[in-house]
């Protein structure tokens, strides 16, 4: 780990300890985004978020939140649980997640009494990939990386969304070049269902202000330099000044980095 990361990590350990005294937002933003960026009218954004999710749950009798258990998804989980919305929450256990990510689900259940439903890849597909290409073949080419994501993420997502009329994600415009024009609501033509991105226009500061105000459980890796978290071998900590998703598939072209769950972002 280089000097910048070491510095960031030690500051994040301070952040973790500071969570209880409501200082988490300022310090997280300070590390990832440079000077403090105040959350933009967070009360209005929370109200708009609650209204959007409430209306979505009323409009669609089968609607799911696809949660990666990141801070954004946990904000959405908090709204769903607080307002008792009829929105199912599921997550994809790719088999390559960090333990810290797996630990978020029981933390959410302990706070809200609501479970996260897990979906896993098909064992025979994983076995074939590992035996014929190698367990970490995703480093060798984008095609092999997409094949792994297809087996471990895209296919389980399709199964998780079977019968759903709409789904919800925690994506934000500011996260990556591929998400710059992300709408709050869109039609997911690949799956033929409606898709909501309620945090599309939320900033990093907005998310962490919400986390602080509502005491939302978060992945501990966020405090170790990981603003965006995917599978363990495909995610690294970022350094100060880097793009929020710079640590995801860091060896690939940043304008085409999506795992196949949100292909419409690339078409835009
Ligand atoms: S993020 Fe990496 S390990 Fe996870 S499914 Fe994609 S290629 Fe495979």
């Amino acid at each position: 780990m280089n000097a910048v990361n070491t510095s960031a990590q030690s500051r994040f350990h301070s952040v973790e300890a500071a969570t209880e005294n409501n200082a988490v937002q300022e310090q997280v933003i300070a590390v990832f985004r440079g000077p403090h960026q105040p959350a933009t009218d967070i009360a209005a954004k929370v109200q708009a978020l609650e209204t959007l999710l409430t209306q979505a749950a009323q409009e669609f009798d089968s609607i799911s939140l696809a949660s990666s258990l990141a801070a954004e998804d946990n904000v959405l989980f908090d709204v769903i649980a607080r307002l008792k919305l009829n929105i199912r929450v599921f997550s994809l256990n790719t088999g390559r997640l960090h333990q810290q990510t797996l630990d978020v689900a029981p933390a959410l259940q302990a706070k809200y009494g609501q479970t996260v439903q897990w979906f896993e890849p098909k064992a025979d597909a994983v076995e074939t990939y590992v035996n014929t290409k190698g367990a970490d073949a995703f480093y060798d080419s984008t095609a092999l990386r997409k094949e792994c994501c297809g087996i471990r993420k895209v296919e389980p997502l399709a199964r998780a969304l079977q019968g759903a009329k709409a789904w919800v994600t925690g994506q934000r415009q500011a996260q990556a070049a591929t998400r710059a024009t992300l709408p709050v609501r869109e039609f997911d033509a690949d799956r033929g269902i409606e898709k909501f991105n309620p945090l599309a226009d939320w900033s990093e500061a907005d998310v962490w202000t919400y986390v602080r105000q509502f005491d939302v459980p978060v992945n501990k890796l966020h405090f170790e330099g990981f603003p965006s978290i995917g599978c363990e071998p495909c995610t690294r900590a970022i350094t100060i000044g880097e793009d929020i998703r710079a640590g995801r598939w860091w060896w690939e072209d940043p304008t085409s980095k999506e795992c196949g769950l949100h292909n419409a972002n690339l078409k835009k």
Side-chain angles (χ1 to χ4, degrees), residues 94 96-97 129 135-136 138-139 144-153 230-235 248-249 251 259:
T94 65
R96 301 299 300 263
L97 298 179
Y129 182 94
D136 294 341
F138 39 78
Y139 291 130
L144 283 170
R145 197 272 292 165
K146 287 188 173 170
E147 187 177 339
C148 184
C149 285
I151 293 167
R152 293 182 184 273
K153 292 181 168 183
C231 291
E232 185 165 14
C234 298
T235 310
R248 304 289 299 278
W249 309 294
W251 61 92
C259 60

Side-chain angles (χ1 to χ4, degrees), residues 118-252:
W118 288 105
F119 282 83
E120 298 183 352
K122 289 185 171 166
D124 57 343
V126 172
E127 196 174 278
T128 300
Y129 182 94
V130 168
N131 287 335
T132 58
K133 282 134 190 173
D136 294 341
F138 39 78
Y139 291 130
D140 296 341
S141 71
T142 300
L144 283 170
R145 197 272 292 165
K146 287 188 173 170
E147 187 177 339
C148 184
C149 285
I151 293 167
R152 293 182 184 273
K153 292 181 168 183
V154 180
E155 188 282 327
L157 177 71
R159 247 183 303 125
L161 288 177
Q162 237 163 30
K165 295 175 181 159
W167 65 307
V168 182
T169 86
Q171 296 181 99
R172 293 187 296 108
Q173 293 165 353
Q175 286 171 327
T178 54
R179 300 182 179 182
T181 59
L182 185 74
V184 166
R185 177 174 181 162
E186 61 188 324
F187 181 68
D188 181 347
D190 288 344
R191 297 175 181 86
I193 61 177
E194 210 65 14
K195 184 176 182 182
F196 293 89
N197 310 299
L199 305 180
D201 65 345
W202 280 45
S203 69
E204 187 83 1
D206 293 332
V207 172
W208 285 96
T209 298
Y210 187 103
V211 165
R212 183 189 63 187
Q213 287 186 358
F214 291 88
D215 193 23
V216 178
V218 290
N219 191 324
K220 285 185 166 51
L221 288 171
H222 286 312
F223 307 123
E224 296 178 13
F226 293 77
S228 175
I229 305 163
C231 291
E232 185 165 14
C234 298
T235 310
R236 65 160 171 78
I238 68 167
T239 56
I240 296 167
E242 278 192 302
D243 188 77
I244 290 283
R245 277 171 66 87
R248 304 289 299 278
W249 309 294
W250 63 92
W251 61 92
E252 292 188 3

